[in-house]
Amino acid sequence: MLNTMKALEKSHPEQGLWMVDAPVPEIGPDDVLIRVNKTGICGTDIHIWEWDDWAQRTVPAPLITGHEFAGEIVELGRNVTDLQIGQRCSGEGHLIGHHSRQSRAGKFHLDPETRGIGVNEQGAFAEYLRLPAFNVVTLPDDVPDDIGAILDPLGNAVHTALSFDLVGEDVLITGAGPIGIMAAAVARHVGARHVVITDINPARLDLAARVADVTPVNVAQQDLREVMGQLRMTEGFDVGLEMSGNQQALDQMIEALVMGGRVALLGVPPGKSPVDWSRIVFKAITIKGVYGREIFETWYKMIAMLQNGLNVADVITHRFPVADFAEGFAAMRSGQSGKVVLNWA
Ligand code: ZN
C-alpha cells in the first residue's frame, strides 16, 4: 500500500478546504483502516469551510475534515477479531470514552467526552480513514455506498423521529433541509397519519415532496392553520420535530401542538433565543433535545428500515468525483441542494 493519500484538509485558518497529500493513518491494535469510497457533505463541513466562529473555536487546523462516509475495511488492528478485510462499512463518527457514568450505563451517545472525526480528530474526507473497530457499522449488500455515506445524517433524522411514538399521530416538521426531509420519510414509514413539513425555501419543499409522502407548507406564503383545516386536523399536531434552529419556526410549532404535545429539537438556534415558557407550561408540552445518534440502536433501526422499504435515495441531489469537491461545496452553500455525495473511488 502507498503511504500517502489524497485528503481534503482545513490547512489554513481561513475560508476553504484544500486537497493535500497526507500520510495514510497508522492504526492501533483496536482500530481498522477503511478505504473510503463515498462521503457526504454535512452542514458541519460548511461551517468548517466558512471558518465561522464555531469552527474557529472547535476545529484544530490543519485537520482532515468529513465524517459521513462509506467504504471498505482494508486492514485490521491485532485485537480486532469480529470484522474482516473486504467488509463494506460505514461507521459512527463520534469517538466515545468508556469512563463516564453514561458510557458505563451503555448510553454511549450521551458520553460527555465524545470527540468527532472531521471536527476534533482526523476525518473521513480522505482515501483512508482510521476508525476504532467499535465504531464500525458493516453494510448489508442491499444498502449501497451512496446511502452508506449518508447514514450519519439519516441517523440524526431517525434518532429525532423515533424520540416519540408516531403511530397514528399527526407530525409537524419545521425545516426542510436533508435531515428534516429524511425525518419526514421516517415518520411516514413508521405510521404517522399526517406529516407536514414547513420551510420558506421552495426548492427544499419541492424536494421534500419528491422524497417523502408529506404535505409541504411554505410558511412565507401559506397559513399553517389553513393547511391544518384542509387536513381536517381539529386540535393540533401531536408531535413536533424542530430541524431549523429558527425561533419563529419553534414558536409556530408550539402554537400548532395539541395540549400535551411532544417536541424533539435537533435544530441549533444561533446563540440564545427567547422562548415563551409559560405557553409551554400551560400546554403541558414535553421537550427533548437530540444529539447525534443512539450508538448503536439508531444504526440498527435505520438499516432495518432501509431493508424494509424506507427510501431516502432521492434526498441525494448532487454527486461529484472528489476532484470537483469545490462544486459540491458550492451546491451545498447555495442552500438549494439536498445531500451532496463525493466519490473517492
Ligand atoms: Zn453530518
Side-chain angles (χ1 to χ4, degrees), residues 40-45 66-68 152-153 156 179 293 339:
I41 302 178
C42 182
T44 301
D45 302 316
H67 57 271
E68 304 180 358
D152 172 292
N156 293 131
I179 295 177
R293 296 142 298 280
K339 287 302 293 183

Side-chain angles (χ1 to χ4, degrees), residues 109-182:
H109 68 296
L110 299 179
D111 178 46
E113 309 289 291
T114 292
R115 297 176 62 75
I117 65 167
V119 177
N120 316 108
E121 304 273 346
Q122 298 288 28
F125 286 169
E127 289 177 290
Y128 295 95
L129 169 69
R130 171 185 53 204
L131 198 70
F134 176 80
N135 285 57
V136 169
V137 177
T138 58
L139 294 176
D141 292 343
D142 48 1
V143 176
D145 282 353
D146 273 11
I147 299 299
I150 64 166
L151 290 181
D152 172 292
L154 176 59
N156 293 131
V158 168
H159 185 188
T160 310
L162 300 189
S163 290
F164 303 109
D165 182 2
L166 299 185
V167 177
E169 304 287 40
D170 294 335
V171 178
L172 174 63
I173 299 170
T174 45
I179 295 177
I181 293 172
M182 290 192 285

Side-chain angles (χ1 to χ4, degrees), residues 247-328:
Q247 168 69 34
Q248 286 166 303
L250 180 59
D251 285 346
Q252 193 166 44
M253 175 177 279
I254 299 297
E255 285 308 310
L257 285 177
V258 293
M259 283 287 293
R262 292 150 292 163
V263 177
L265 297 176
L266 186 76
V268 181
K272 294 184 181 181
S273 54
V275 173
D276 186 352
W277 287 107
S278 64
R279 195 87 185 103
I280 290 167
V281 171
F282 288 125
K283 279 188 104 165
I285 285 166
T286 300
I287 296 184
K288 178 192 174 192
V290 178
Y291 176 67
R293 296 142 298 280
E294 286 189 13
I295 306 169
F296 287 88
E297 187 64 4
T298 302
W299 290 87
Y300 180 90
K301 292 262 193 190
M302 72 177 149
I303 290 173
M305 286 191 285
L306 288 167
Q307 291 185 299
N308 79 356
L310 174 66
N311 184 355
V312 294
D314 288 343
V315 84
I316 302 173
T317 54
H318 296 72
R319 292 174 173 80
F320 295 99
V322 71
D324 299 333
F325 71 91
E327 280 179 66

